[in-house]
């Protein structure tokens, strides 16, 4: 499945993302470090078990997977993205970091990606989504699908833009206008939706508002069978 963007009159989402990142991928990590807050907190919290597996949904340039592999070398790391432009950058970044053989990438849509077909791994001890929910038109479907990819006893980690609840209204309005220019839509319903997912799976939800609500960070802890 190729998702249709809500912002572009029905252009396939993979084509839209390739057009957005064809040039941006070369300087994406340099600029995003200043406002994609909470990513390093998520990476630190992953702590996968020895011999475990980690999947990033919407891996982009590979930046998060590289840092996760360096922080927690005891696990195997996989990532997929809908944009082939970003995947090209991810593979290049992994090689430059000396991790070309340690990270595995594939192209796919977050709503229906098949990791068993792509990687030979059906479920993962840790699945994470870093600033992807706000860019996926069918974001609810993406979360539902990501939850099915978590192995029993595993965790799903999500960090993304919040609603800036404790920041000045003028800042919030300006940020949302600026993000819209990049096809980014913070999801006001995220916490409510994750509560529903937790109830459905019998999982435990931890939800935090970081930096006065600038970013939201959630962890779904799935029970063992």
């Amino acid at each position: 499945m190729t998702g249709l963007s809500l912002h572009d009159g029905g252009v396939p989402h993979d084509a839209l993302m390739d057009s957005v990142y064809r040039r941006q991928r070369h300087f994406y990590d340099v600029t995003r470090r200043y406002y994609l807050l909470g990513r390093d907190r998520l990476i630190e919290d992953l702590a996968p078990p020895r011999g475990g597996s980690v999947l990033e949904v919407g891996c982009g340039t590979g930046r998060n997977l590289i840092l996760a592999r360096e922080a927690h070398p005891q696990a195997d790391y996989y990532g997929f993205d809908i944009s082939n432009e970003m995947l090209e950058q991810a593979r290049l970044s992994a090689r430059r970091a000396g991790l070309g053989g340690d990270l595995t990438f594939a192209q796919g849509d977050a709503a229906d990606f098949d990791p068993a077909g792509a990687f030979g791994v059906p479920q993962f001890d840790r699945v994470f989504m870093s600033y992807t929910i706000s860019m996926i038109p069918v974001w609810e479907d993406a979360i539902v699908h990501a939850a099915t990819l978590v192995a029993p006893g595993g965790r799903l980690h999500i960090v993304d833009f919040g609603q800036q609840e404790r920041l000045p209204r003028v800042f919030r309005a300006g940020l949302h206008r600026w993000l819209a220019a990049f096809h980014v839509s913070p999801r006001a319903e995220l916490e409510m939706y994750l509560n529903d997912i937790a109830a459905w799976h019998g999982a435990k939800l931890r939800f935090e508002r970081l930096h006065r609500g600038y970013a939201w960070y959630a962890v779904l802890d799935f029970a063992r069978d």
Side-chain angles (χ1 to χ4, degrees):
M1 169 182 167
T2 298
L4 296 181
S5 170
L6 298 177
H7 310 281
D8 56 11
V11 174
H13 198 56
D14 53 352
L16 175 65
M17 292 297 97
D18 278 342
S19 69
V20 168
Y21 292 123
R22 187 161 290 119
R23 293 184 179 86
Q24 285 193 39
R25 69 183 179 90
H26 299 290
F27 53 85
Y28 182 94
D29 289 333
V30 174
T31 58
R32 268 55 175 188
R33 64 185 295 184
Y34 298 106
Y35 63 89
L36 298 188
L37 307 180
R39 295 183 298 171
D40 293 344
R41 161 75 180 279
L42 183 156
I43 290 168
E44 180 181 351
D45 285 352
L46 286 174
R50 183 168 299 278
S53 54
V54 179
L55 174 70
E56 181 174 13
V57 177
C59 63
T61 64
R63 178 260 189 197
N64 296 329
L65 282 174
I66 290 169
L67 292 179
R69 172 63 174 75
E70 292 173 346
H72 312 289
Q74 70 273 19
D76 297 321
Y77 289 85
Y78 305 85
F80 73 93
D81 202 281
I82 200 167
S83 169
N84 280 308
E85 292 287 341
M86 284 301 231
L87 287 170
E88 182 178 343
Q89 186 65 38
R91 294 184 178 104
L92 175 61
S93 297
R95 290 195 297 271
R96 286 175 174 170
L99 298 173
D102 297 317
L103 306 178
T104 306
F105 299 102
Q107 194 274 342
D109 190 303
D112 64 358
F113 181 70
D114 176 18
F119 303 135
V121 183
Q123 290 187 308
F124 302 82
D125 298 291
R126 303 287 184 269
V127 177
F128 71 97
M129 308 173 79
S130 172
Y131 286 91
T132 57
I133 297 299
S134 55
M135 296 199 70
I136 299 173
V138 290
W139 63 275
E140 300 99 327
D141 294 343
I143 295 175
V144 167
H145 187 57
T148 70
L149 303 182
V150 181
R155 297 199 302 262
L156 171 62
H157 297 247
I158 297 174
V159 67
D160 214 307
F161 291 107
Q163 293 296 301
Q164 299 82 49
E165 305 93 301
R166 297 174 57 202
L167 291 168
R169 183 178 300 177
V170 64
F171 175 87
R172 180 172 60 217
L175 177 64
H176 282 234
R177 285 195 299 270
W178 182 73
L179 291 175
F182 295 94
H183 310 283
V184 177
S185 299
R187 310 302 184 185
E189 306 88 356
L190 180 59
E191 183 178 12
M192 179 180 67
Y193 197 75
L194 289 176
N195 271 308
D196 290 342
I197 296 292
W200 180 262
H201 287 276
K204 181 179 179 181
L205 173 64
R206 172 163 56 96
F207 196 95
E208 299 181 45
R209 288 164 173 80
L210 309 179
H211 309 289
R212 301 178 67 185
Y214 178 92
W216 286 352
Y217 176 46
V219 180
L220 277 168
D221 203 331
F222 290 76
R224 295 188 181 277
D225 288 345

